Amino acid sequence: MSVKDDENEKHTKESEVIVVMVPFPAQGHLNQLLHLSRLISAYSIPVHYVSTSIHSRQAKLRVQGWDPLSTPNEIIKFHDFPTPPFVSPPPNPHSASKFPLHLLPSFYAALHLRAPVGELLRALAPTTRRLVVIYDFLISSVIQDVASIPNGEAYSFQCVSAFRVSSTVWEITGEPPEIDEQIVKQIPSRSATITSQVMDFIKMQEHHKYSSGVLFNTCRPIEGPFLDILAKVNTKQWAIGPFNPVEICDFSSHVRHRCLEWLDKQVPDSVIFVSFGTTTSLTDEQIEHLALGLEASGQKFIWVLRDADKGDIFTGDVRVCELPRGYQDRIKVSGQGMIVRDWAPQLEILAHTSTGGFMSHCGWNSCLESIAMGVPMATWPMHSDQPHNALLVTKVLRIGVVVRDWERRDELVQSLTIENAVRELMASRQGEEIRKRTAELGMAVKRSVADGGEMNDFIAHIRRYTDN
């Protein structure tokens, strides 16, 4: 038998490629890499999803558009590793920063995953030709041991928009992008969107020397010009998103949420969906203004009114956000709206024909889901990458309207401001033009996904038989 035949026989006895997915322990991050696990497993590549016991359970419980529990275990295998106990304070709606600082103890606890992740990598390495680690850039210190794996290589996942990452490059180089100068002037500095405590955590994660390339949850129809900018500084990069399903399947065993039944009774494009994600806590005063603004707009709405996630969502009491007296009964009797206080099926809501707008904190997951479903946005950024995403949506892509101006982020958003923004999006000529642009962009995104896009290129890269 020749050396080549011997090598071929060896490859048939082991996995061609194994992927280890290492997400950051916050909902929007867990969600993105779990969706990516589904996409990669569709190429018959085994995926190992690694997280803390709490966050792995959270990811599986909340994923939408598909059921990870119905996926064969040999395709996506979950590893739930314990971490040291941590104590997180409750979310503080009155905090000067809207960043969920109460989650920092859980973030630091997750850094202890380095030892079990390293052990897993060493166990998997002999069973595959190439061991590929995909890690959220915010938890890069956990995957350092991949450097000692001869057949291992790691890829940094940027969990934020290419627009946000580009802005950091512009700050460093001083070279603004080739977009409208007035938009450039509105781009917030990185220091204005995150706190010093968060910056300290990020500095601990500067281990990107182990990265063989960068992955983005986006696509060229959404962020082509900014991907071109980043290609000048990244040796290898792939825009392989959106990761979330762009078509919602009808599960025969799926129990529909009650809000979907309410949506079934509404006319197309008549309802605005209101949700601010899992990391934001609004004050009672702001909730009152939002409630009155939605009601005064005269538009139908579904409002997910929940407090921010705790470090462990499965323990302890959760604050019940207060509404004005009699408000919930009033909108129920009038049929104008619906308040949802539990976990809501956001993807299914956005995909519903009755949904015509989305008032959002502009987390990158929410932006991508809204764009993919062709739903225009009313932007209310809170922290981190959200101000950049809001600017991308409203000024660059022109598929949304502003509710909360980032420059006035320390001020209460008045009910009249909310009322006017909702009417502009849902019941104006400008809103119709925005809706048309969003629908066109959504179709372009769907076509890019259907074509395989750069995902095919990335899969071909990790399956290559050379070391280049």
Side-chain angles (χ1 to χ4, degrees), residues 103-413:
L103 295 180
L104 280 175
S106 66
F107 298 165
Y108 278 102
L111 299 185
H112 290 269
L113 289 175
R114 178 182 175 182
V117 167
E119 184 177 346
L120 176 64
L121 296 181
R122 287 186 287 273
L124 290 174
T127 70
T128 182
R129 179 169 56 83
R130 179 171 292 115
L131 184 62
V132 172
V133 179
I134 299 175
Y135 65 96
D136 193 307
F137 84 100
L138 287 176
I139 200 166
S140 60
S141 63
V142 166
I143 60 89
Q144 296 178 57
D145 295 315
V146 73
S148 65
I149 307 293
N151 60 336
E153 55 191 41
Y155 295 86
S156 170
F157 166 60
Q158 284 287 349
C159 54
V160 298
S161 64
F163 182 66
R164 164 65 184 237
V165 181
S166 297
S167 71
T168 304
V169 174
W170 307 331
E171 283 189 50
I172 296 172
T173 64
E175 298 179 7
E178 295 181 3
I179 58 176
D180 190 290
E181 185 177 343
Q182 294 304 312
I183 297 176
V184 175
K185 290 180 179 179
Q186 296 178 61
I187 296 173
S189 66
R190 193 182 188 201
S191 60
T193 60
I194 55 178
T195 66
S196 58
Q197 299 100 311
V198 179
M199 185 61 76
D200 289 342
F201 181 88
I202 292 174
K203 288 179 179 177
M204 294 177 61
Q205 308 310 311
E206 295 177 348
H207 296 275
H208 303 303
K209 61 185 177 182
Y210 305 116
S211 176
S212 297
V214 185
L215 304 179
F216 292 93
N217 185 8
T218 191
C219 59
R220 298 201 65 81
I222 301 174
E223 297 193 278
F226 311 109
L227 290 166
D228 289 340
I229 291 170
L230 294 173
K232 298 175 182 178
V233 296
N234 294 324
T235 304
K236 294 178 181 177
Q237 68 176 35
W238 294 267
I240 55 178
F243 297 166
N244 59 270
V246 298
E247 301 286 354
I248 301 301
C249 300
D250 182 17
F251 303 113
S252 58
S253 60
H254 181 55
V255 178
R256 297 180 82 218
H257 193 281
R258 64 188 186 284
C259 71
L260 298 172
E261 297 176 357
W262 184 84
L263 278 171
D264 290 342
K265 302 172 185 177
Q266 314 307 320
V267 299
D269 295 330
S270 64
V271 177
I272 185 166
F273 173 50
V274 182
S275 178
F276 300 116
T278 60
T279 63
T280 296
S281 291
L282 298 178
T283 64
D284 289 342
E285 184 181 17
Q286 186 63 84
I287 289 171
E288 180 178 3
H289 275 268
L290 178 52
L292 297 178
L294 288 172
E295 186 177 26
S297 74
Q299 302 301 305
K300 298 288 186 75
F301 64 88
I302 290 178
W303 179 7
V304 180
L305 182 55
R306 302 172 62 253
D307 206 22
D309 279 352
K310 299 172 299 177
D312 182 350
I313 68 169
F314 301 103
T315 61
D317 296 329
V318 177
R319 167 186 169 231
V320 177
C321 302
E322 294 295 331
L323 286 164
R325 184 182 297 273
Y327 181 84
Q328 193 158 347
D329 290 336
R330 194 162 67 242
I331 63 169
K332 182 178 180 180
V333 170
S334 68
Q336 183 184 359
M338 183 177 189
I339 307 296
V340 177
R341 293 186 179 272
D342 55 352
W343 184 254
Q346 179 165 299
L347 264 176
E348 291 180 81
I349 293 171
L350 290 171
H352 200 286
T353 56
S354 295
T355 302
F358 182 19
M359 185 182 294
S360 170
H361 63 304
C362 298
W364 191 231
N365 272 318
S366 291
C367 290
L368 288 173
E369 291 172 3
S370 199
I371 291 170
M373 300 306 170
V375 177
M377 301 179 72
T379 63
W380 190 321
M382 303 292 182
H383 61 80
S384 305
D385 61 317
Q386 297 163 16
H388 292 81
N389 298 340
L391 188 62
L392 174 68
V393 165
T394 57
K395 301 301 182 182
V396 180
L397 299 175
R398 298 187 300 129
I399 57 171
V401 301
V402 175
V403 182
R404 185 198 201 198
D405 185 340
W406 178 248
E407 292 301 317
R408 303 175 63 183
R409 57 190 175 276
D410 296 327
E411 301 176 16
L412 184 75
V413 183

Side-chain angles (χ1 to χ4, degrees), residues 221 370-371 374-376 393-401 424-425 429-445:
S370 199
I371 291 170
V375 177
V393 165
T394 57
K395 301 301 182 182
V396 180
L397 299 175
R398 298 187 300 129
I399 57 171
V401 301
E424 181 182 359
L425 186 66
R429 179 173 296 179
Q430 180 182 353
E432 283 300 317
E433 293 171 353
I434 289 172
R435 184 166 292 103
K436 181 180 178 181
R437 281 195 294 270
T438 312
E440 291 172 352
L441 180 56
M443 291 304 298
V445 169

